[in-house]
């Protein structure tokens, strides 16, 4: 991946399609002669210049702005040229082709189209951003809610990285104490006790736990929660999806088996994205045709992948023996360990006495609502946030990814082992030092201090072209 790192690169940096403005971006080292050959003049650094963009025959392709950022004071840390013209796809392609043609005659024959994410990759490799900040660039672009955008912006500004660096500095200081004890075993002074190594390790572990909690909130803002609505036919699953989404997304009829396939909609509650999935009614009956069977199989497949399941039950049929048996069969088949919220629907068609009569069938945490009238929906939204583990914390949340959570979990494991080894100081100090080293390595993976090339390739390949 790094073999082409020194090639100059060019790309259309704006989204495909038509727009008011389009941008062609070029990055590389020593681009001054190329810029002068392309535009016919020397540009002032970081100052917009209005001028025509000519083709090979001296005819203008477009008129627009040129911006020149000499390295290292640029996004990538290299020389960067941006051409801002009218945002038609043909105009942008002509400008990019002109850049490639001029490069052939000015000693920049290595100029090539950029790969996805390569501009940000170079910013990382040139120490303009660490890896967590680079990932935040993509998270900011992909943010689906205002809260997610704000959190990604905080990560891009370095909030998450600063917390990781704080943990690393405390860990490095502890490693120094352990290494000193290993290097000078004959000294009468016990370095570890005098420096309160055990207390330092406890404080480090507490700080790590706090960062994990904040990172979990950030990961939730980025990835959201997969919520599957499940239950027997005609329990009101599609009506509940429509009510939560505030739109008629799913067809609703009194005919059993109307929903044959998966219908999904992403909603947000207090800025947290929830991917709500409506599924086919779950039942075993000789009346089930082949198409409905496939829908039921897909429903169970969605349940297996869910973070939480809304088990929807019909109040109007709650006294029917066959309906009770159907609900019991579904409850028994739901995966163990899955977050399940039992909901009784069609409250608008029942009396308080009906609800009271269900005392032996319902649990204390069950909810009652009407997907049709909307009564009880607000209580459901609050419970969904509780299921997600969301804890409102103002603007202090930073964006995080699953790989960050896994790295922090490894740090926690190594610190736990280190704490056990510290109690047997003289016997296992070498093992203690190794556990602390591994913990620091795991922290370094988050910011990119220790990262394999294949990991970098996987991360940056998910960016858009031109970023």
């Amino acid at each position: 991946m790094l073999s082409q790192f020194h090639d100059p690169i060019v790309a259309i940096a704006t989204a495909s399609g038509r727009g008011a403005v389009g941008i062609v971006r070029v990055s590389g080292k020593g681009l001054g002669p190329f810029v002068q050959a392309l535009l016919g003049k020397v540009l002032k650094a970081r100052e917009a210049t209005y001028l025509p963009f000519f083709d090979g025959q001296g005819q203008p392709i477009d008129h627009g702005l040129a911006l020149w950022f000499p390295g290292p004071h640029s996004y990538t840390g290299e020389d960067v040229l941006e051409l801002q013209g009218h945002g038609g796809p043909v105009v942008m392609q002509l400008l990019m082709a002109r850049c490639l043609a001029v490069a052939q005659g000015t000693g920049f024959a290595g100029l090539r189209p950029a790969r996805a994410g390569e501009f940000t990759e170079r910013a990382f490799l040139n120490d303009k951003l660490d890896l967590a900040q680079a990932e935040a660039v993509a998270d900011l672009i992909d943010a689906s809610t205002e809260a997610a955008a704000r959190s990604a912006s905080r990560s891009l500004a370095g909030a998450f990285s600063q917390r990781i660096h704080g943990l690393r500095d405390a860990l490095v200081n502890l490693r120094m104490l352990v290494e000193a004890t290993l290097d000078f075993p004959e000294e009468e002074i016990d370095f570890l006790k005098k420096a309160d190594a055990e207390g330092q390790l406890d404080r480090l572990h507490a700080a790590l736990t706090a960062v994990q909690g904040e990172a979990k909130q950030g990961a939730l803002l980025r990835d959201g929660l997969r919520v599957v609505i499940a239950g027997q036919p005609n329990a009101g699953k599609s009506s509940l999806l429509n009510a939560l989404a505030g739109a008629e997304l799913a067809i609703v009829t009194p005919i059993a088996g109307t929903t044959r396939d998966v219908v999904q909609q992403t909603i947000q509650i207090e800025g947290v994205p929830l991917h709500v999935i409506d599924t086919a009614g779950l039942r075993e009956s000789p009346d089930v045709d082949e198409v409905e069977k496939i829908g039921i199989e897909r429903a169970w497949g969605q349940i297996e992948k869910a973070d939480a399941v809304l088990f929807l039950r019909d109040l109007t049929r709650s006294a029917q023996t066959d309906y009770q048996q159907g609900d019991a069969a579904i409850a028994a088949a739901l995966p163990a360990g899955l977050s399940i919220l039992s909901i009784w629907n069609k409250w608008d068609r029942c009396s308080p006495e009906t609800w009271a009569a269900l005392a032996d069938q319902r649990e204390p945490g069950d909810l009652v609502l009407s997907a049709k009238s909307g009564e009880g929906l607000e209580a459901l939204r609050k419970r969904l946030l509780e299921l997600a583990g969301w804890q409102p914390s103002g603007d202090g949340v930073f964006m995080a990814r699953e790989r960050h959570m896994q790295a922090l979990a490894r740090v926690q494991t190594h610190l736990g082992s280190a704490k056990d080894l510290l109690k047997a100081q003289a016997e296992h100090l070498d093992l203690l030092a190794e556990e602390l080293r591994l913990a620091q390595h795991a922290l370094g993976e988050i910011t990119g201090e220790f990262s394999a090339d294949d990991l970098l390739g996987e991360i940056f390949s998910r960016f858009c072209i031109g970023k």
Side-chain angles (χ1 to χ4, degrees), residues 188-324:
E188 295 181 0
I189 299 175
D190 187 335
F191 288 96
L192 299 182
K193 288 184 178 180
K194 184 177 180 180
D196 187 26
E198 189 170 352
Q200 288 192 42
L201 186 55
D202 287 340
R203 290 189 291 274
L204 177 58
H205 198 278
L208 172 65
T209 300
V211 172
Q212 282 181 300
E214 294 174 55
K216 182 180 179 181
Q217 300 296 292
L220 182 60
L221 280 178
R222 180 182 185 273
D223 300 324
L225 193 74
R226 286 180 61 86
V227 180
V228 172
I229 306 175
Q232 295 190 64
N234 283 348
K237 298 182 296 299
S238 297
S239 296
L240 181 56
L241 172 65
N242 293 342
L244 287 171
E248 296 296 320
L249 302 174
I251 299 173
V252 178
T253 77
I255 302 171
T258 297
T259 301
R260 300 285 183 111
D261 207 346
V262 171
V263 180
Q264 177 172 328
Q265 177 68 16
T266 297
I267 64 173
Q268 58 170 301
I269 304 174
E270 294 187 18
V272 179
L274 299 178
H275 313 293
V276 185
I277 303 164
D278 178 26
T279 58
L282 304 175
R283 62 171 175 166
E284 293 184 5
S285 169
D287 298 331
V288 175
D289 59 32
E290 288 300 318
V291 176
E292 189 178 350
K293 283 182 180 179
I294 294 173
I296 292 172
E297 290 176 0
R298 291 183 178 180
W300 283 112
Q302 291 294 328
I303 290 171
E304 291 287 343
K305 297 183 291 184
D307 296 312
V309 169
L310 303 184
F311 182 14
L312 201 62
R313 311 167 85 164
D314 187 346
L315 271 172
T316 64
R317 291 182 283 169
S318 58
Q320 300 174 13
T321 302
D322 59 341
Y323 192 80
Q324 294 175 6

Side-chain angles (χ1 to χ4, degrees), residues 122-152:
R122 292 192 177 199
F124 163 69
L125 294 172
N126 289 323
D127 296 324
K128 304 295 289 187
L129 302 169
D130 65 29
L131 193 54
Q133 289 175 295
E135 289 172 304
V137 173
D139 292 336
L140 184 58
I141 293 171
D142 294 337
S144 59
T145 68
E146 180 182 349
R150 291 183 181 277
S151 297

